[in-house]
Amino acid sequence: MTDYEEAGREIARAKVVAALTGAGVSAESGVPTFRGQGGFWGQYRVEDLATPEGFARDPELVWNWYQERRRMIMEVQPNPAHFGLARLERALTGRVVIITQNIDGLHQRAGSRDVIPVHGDLMVTICSRCSYERQEKPPFEQGLPRCPACGSFLRPGVVWFGELLPEQALRRAMEESQACDVMLVIGTSAQVYPAAGFPLTAYGAGATIIEVNPEPALERIARYVFAEPAGEAVPRLVEAALASGA
Ligand code: BV8
Ligand code: ZN
C-alpha cells in the first residue's frame, strides 16, 4: 500500500476528521503566505501591522492594508485543496471539521459547512470600542471609517497578535482537537499559538497526524507527511479515502 492509500484508509475509518489549515492551503489560490516571504505580506510585516499597537500607531495604514487584502480576496477562487476538503465533508461517513487560521473565507466559498475560523473573518468590520459590527462589501474604500454608533475607529474583525481568540471558536477547536481520530494539518508553519498547539493536543489524545506542506513543520508527530502542494496532495488523499471503501 502507498502512503496515500494507507493515509486514505485511516481518514475513511475515522469517526471524526479535523483539518487544521493555514495560509499554505490558500497559496495556490494566489493568496500570499505570511512567513514564506520572510514574514512579509506584500511590503508589510504582518507582526507589525496585525497588532493593536500597529493600529494605534497608524490606524489609517492598517485599515488600508486590510482593504487591499479584501480587494485581493474578491479576485481569487478556492483551489482544489479547498474543494477536496468540502468533498470529503460531504462524502465521508465520519464527521469532518475544519479549524482554519485563515481569514479569507475560501473554505466556506468551496462549500465546507463545518468551519471554525479561529482568527476571525476578513470581511467583517467591528468597532474598536462598542459592539457595532458589519459585513464589508466592495468597493473597499481607503480611508478609516468611524463607528456610526459611538464615533470610534472601526477595525477589521480579525484576531491580532496579542489578542485573545474568540472564546467560542477556541473552545470548539480545542474540543475537536481532543475528539478527532485523524488531524490533517495543511499549509501551516505551526508557529502561531494557540492554533499551533492543536496538533499537539490531537496527537496527545491519540489521533493520527497527517501533514501536507512542501516544508513540513510537524515531522516529529506526523505519521504521514506529504511534502507537496496542498492543491495536489489533498485531492489525492480524498480520492484515496473515498476509494478505500473502509
Ligand atoms: C494570543 C489574523 C493570548 C490577522 C493572525 C512568544 C512565544 C510564543 C507565543 C507568543 C509569544 N509572544 C506572543 C505570543 C502569542 C502569539 C504568537 O503565537 N506569536 C508567534 C508569532 C510567536 N499569538 C497571539 O498573539 C495569539 N493570541 O496568544 O492571545 C495572549 C494575549 C496577550 C499576550 C500573549 C498571549 C493571536 C494569534 C493570531 C494572530 N492573527 N492572523 C491577519 O491575518 O491579518 S496570525 C497569522 O499567522 C495568520 O492567521 C496565519 O494563518 C497565522 C499562522 O501562519 P500560517 O497560516 O502558518 O502561515 P505561514 O505563512 O506562517 O506558513 C504557511 C505555510 O504554508 C508554510 O509552512 C509553507 O511551507 C506552507 N505552504 C506554502 N505553499 C503551500 C504550503 N502548504 C501547502 N501547499 C502549498 N501550496
Ligand atoms: Zn462603536
Side-chain angles (χ1 to χ4, degrees), residues 2-238:
T2 67
D3 268 2
Y4 272 105
E5 286 165 337
E6 276 187 33
R9 194 178 51 179
E10 294 247 1
I11 294 167
R13 286 179 171 164
K15 280 192 293 304
V16 181
V17 176
L20 172 68
T21 64
V25 82
S26 299
E28 289 152 274
S29 297
V31 183
T33 60
F34 291 90
R35 290 160 196 90
Q37 296 94 324
F40 279 78
W41 203 94
Q43 71 274 33
Y44 301 119
R45 267 200 64 75
V46 180
E47 271 77 8
D48 296 341
L49 294 184
T51 63
E53 298 74 20
F55 186 67
R57 199 172 34 246
D58 189 341
E60 183 108 21
L61 170 67
V62 174
W63 175 262
N64 291 341
W65 179 49
Y66 279 92
Q67 292 293 73
E68 188 186 320
R69 291 173 69 181
R70 288 167 168 162
R71 274 195 294 279
M72 189 272 297
I73 284 300
M74 296 298 285
E75 309 294 316
V76 303
Q77 300 300 328
N79 68 58
H82 298 106
F83 289 118
L85 289 170
R87 181 174 171 223
L88 191 68
E89 181 182 26
R90 284 191 303 276
L92 213 54
T93 42
R95 192 161 57 81
V96 176
V97 56
I98 297 180
I99 303 167
T100 189
Q101 301 172 84
N102 301 336
I103 60 175
D104 57 30
L106 289 177
H107 285 300
Q108 295 90 328
R109 281 176 51 195
S112 286
R113 283 192 303 273
D114 196 356
V115 180
I116 307 173
V118 293
H119 291 160
D121 177 345
L122 182 58
M123 292 305 170
V124 169
T125 288
I126 57 175
C127 174
S128 48
R129 272 263 303 275
C130 76
S131 59
Y132 171 83
E133 178 171 320
R134 76 177 182 219
Q135 200 68 26
E136 276 308 315
K137 284 186 286 301
F140 301 108
E141 274 112 20
Q142 304 285 309
L144 185 60
R146 292 225 174 230
C147 173
C150 77
S152 309
F153 288 143
L154 295 183
R155 55 161 283 182
V158 301
V159 181
W160 281 335
F161 288 98
E163 293 187 325
L164 294 170
L165 275 59
E167 204 210 319
Q168 172 72 322
L170 179 57
R171 187 163 4 91
R172 245 212 92 198
M174 290 301 289
E175 284 163 5
E176 298 293 9
S177 299
Q178 288 279 0
C180 67
D181 308 294
V182 170
M183 180 177 274
L184 304 173
V185 183
I186 307 167
T188 182
S189 63
Q191 290 174 32
V192 175
Y193 288 83
F198 298 154
L200 299 171
T201 301
Y203 179 69
T208 298
I209 307 297
I210 300 173
E211 180 172 23
V212 173
N213 191 328
E215 296 160 51
L218 295 173
E219 280 158 309
R220 271 182 312 103
I221 60 171
R223 176 152 348 137
Y224 302 99
V225 175
F226 299 99
E228 294 158 43
E232 289 157 35
V234 172
R236 281 188 67 183
L237 273 171
V238 173

